[in-house]
Amino acid sequence: MKRVLITGKNSYIGESFRKYVEANHREEIQIDVISVRGNAWKSRDFSVYDAVFHVAGKAHADVSHVSEAVKQEYYAVNRDLAVAVAQKYRSERNGFSQFIYMSSIIVYGHTHETIQETTPTNPSNFYGDSKLQAEISLRQMSNINFQILILRPPMIYGPMSKGNFPILVKMAKSFPIFPKIDNQRSMLFVDNLSEFICQIIAFRLHTNIYFPQNKEYVNTSCLVKTIRDSLNRRTLLLSGFTGIINCFVKQHNGFGIYADKAFGSVIYAKSLSSNSAVRLNGYQVVEFDESVRRSVL
């Protein structure tokens, strides 16, 4: 049995992973969870764990209205704390170990191109940069026994999720008429992410950057319709708004940022989301329509 420590108590992703393991992989994986606020975690024995899944972090900032002090908090939590936890784990653990760090697609900034293996990182704000700086520092710590696994998922959604998805659900519930937009987005259902993590632990994957995503790209208009279908509500999608919305998306202001989050296109190439051990179809435990239904009801 593998022992896994989740560092970051009450994290949505951490709690979702714990519940998923207890429901589906109880015989293979034992989960412990600790808080890394304050200093009490520093006295915890990390040597007994085969993997540490670090989910503590700060996210979802209104990046246009923050002080320099708040910006520094993002680096302190997203970068410095992650490095400190990894250093403690490496110093105490003997033998093969995995440190799994939750990064984000945000490290690529507001790109509208298909993200390939050669796509350069280009964070557009301090949140994305804090994640990227953590990645750089952590990967330098890797050695033959201490493996650093960086996860760069797209938008994660699921029951009681946070961030942009519940905003979209609220909007979908309110508007039976919605523009028909031609866009594509990579997304990831939280149970599919949890199964991906279980597999990278089971297969003892090594230091690398990983890009889990649902096997299908998502169109915002179709997503809104799927949300409403799950609520047994009819939806009318109207054509003719693509040009107008694209103009909004290209604006370099707060409204443009929100329009881009809702209607812009950002996808990972499917080839990024498979490797010799964990293939794209291998961790898709919940199909898209069912994942939306579970996330809304």
Side-chain angles (χ1 to χ4, degrees):
M1 176 179 285
K2 299 291 180 66
R3 295 193 66 181
V4 178
L5 178 65
I6 298 175
T7 49
K9 198 171 183 179
N10 299 322
S11 154
Y12 175 72
I13 292 173
E15 272 298 288
S16 297
F17 177 63
R18 181 187 64 79
K19 292 176 181 177
Y20 180 83
V21 168
E22 290 182 353
N24 299 278
H25 295 283
R26 182 185 293 270
E27 300 303 317
E28 303 101 60
I29 299 175
Q30 177 185 324
I31 297 288
D32 291 329
V33 184
I34 64 169
S35 170
V36 286
R37 293 179 181 271
N39 294 314
W41 64 272
K42 296 179 180 179
S43 61
R44 181 74 175 238
D45 179 12
F46 280 24
S47 66
V48 297
Y49 295 102
D50 300 284
V52 168
F53 182 27
H54 185 75
V55 295
K58 286 178 68 69
H60 305 304
D62 182 355
V63 296
S64 60
H65 299 92
V66 296
S67 65
E68 186 62 32
V70 170
K71 291 181 183 180
Q72 292 308 310
E73 287 181 16
Y74 275 77
Y75 287 96
V77 175
N78 292 341
R79 180 193 60 196
D80 300 343
L81 178 60
V83 170
V85 172
Q87 287 174 334
K88 173 178 169 60
Y89 183 36
R90 187 176 68 167
S91 68
E92 296 181 4
R93 172 72 175 176
N94 291 319
F96 185 86
S97 54
Q98 295 172 305
F99 184 85
I100 305 169
Y101 178 71
M102 282 299 298
S103 187
S104 169
I105 197 172
I106 196 69
V107 299
Y108 293 101
H110 297 298
T111 181
H112 295 137
E113 303 294 328
T114 299
I115 297 172
Q116 309 277 355
E117 186 174 0
T118 56
T119 302
T121 54
N122 185 31
S124 57
N125 56 55
F126 58 87
Y127 168 49
D129 188 59
S130 69
K131 288 289 190 179
L132 181 59
Q133 293 303 316
E135 290 187 16
I136 294 170
S137 297
L138 289 169
R139 283 171 65 84
Q140 293 174 350
M141 299 172 59
S142 174
N143 60 42
I144 191 170
N145 283 325
F146 191 69
Q147 306 297 322
I148 299 291
L149 292 80
I150 306 294
L151 307 188
R152 289 182 184 169
M155 183 175 76
I156 297 169
Y157 66 100
M160 305 301 292
S161 60
K162 302 176 182 179
N164 296 324
F165 185 76
I167 297 174
L168 188 61
V169 171
K170 184 177 180 179
M171 183 169 59
K173 290 179 178 180
S174 302
F175 298 103
I177 301 175
F178 201 79
K180 187 176 182 180
I181 304 300
D182 184 20
N183 75 329
Q184 289 184 312
R185 301 191 71 89
S186 289
M187 293 176 59
L188 180 61
F189 183 55
V190 69
D191 281 3
N192 294 341
L193 169 63
S194 294
E195 178 60 29
F196 181 85
I197 297 167
C198 289
Q199 292 197 24
I200 64 176
I201 293 171
F203 288 112
R204 292 165 59 94
L205 296 194
H206 288 200
T207 295
N208 210 334
I209 300 173
Y210 297 90
F211 307 86
Q213 64 176 325
N214 287 350
K215 63 184 177 182
E216 58 275 283
Y217 297 137
V218 179
N219 170 272
T220 300
S221 303
C222 293
L223 174 57
V224 167
K225 185 177 185 303
T226 303
I227 292 170
R228 291 185 59 82
D229 286 348
S230 69
L231 299 169
N232 294 316
R233 300 182 186 181
R234 299 183 62 182
T235 309
L236 176 62
L237 298 178
L238 295 180
S239 302
F241 289 88
T242 300
I244 296 173
I245 290 179
N246 283 341
C247 288
F248 290 146
V249 168
K250 294 177 182 178
Q251 292 183 19
H252 299 287
N253 54 31
F255 186 78
I257 292 174
Y258 285 115
D260 185 41
K261 287 181 178 179
F263 298 108
S265 291
V266 55
I267 59 174
Y268 280 131
K270 294 291 179 66
S271 59
L272 282 180
S273 301
S274 300
N275 60 52
S276 58
V278 180
R279 299 193 177 279
L280 181 58
N281 292 337
Y283 56 89
Q284 306 297 322
V285 293
V286 182
E287 296 295 330
F288 176 68
D289 285 2
E290 174 63 15
S291 74
V292 172
R293 188 192 70 81
R294 293 187 189 183
S295 302
V296 173
L297 299 181

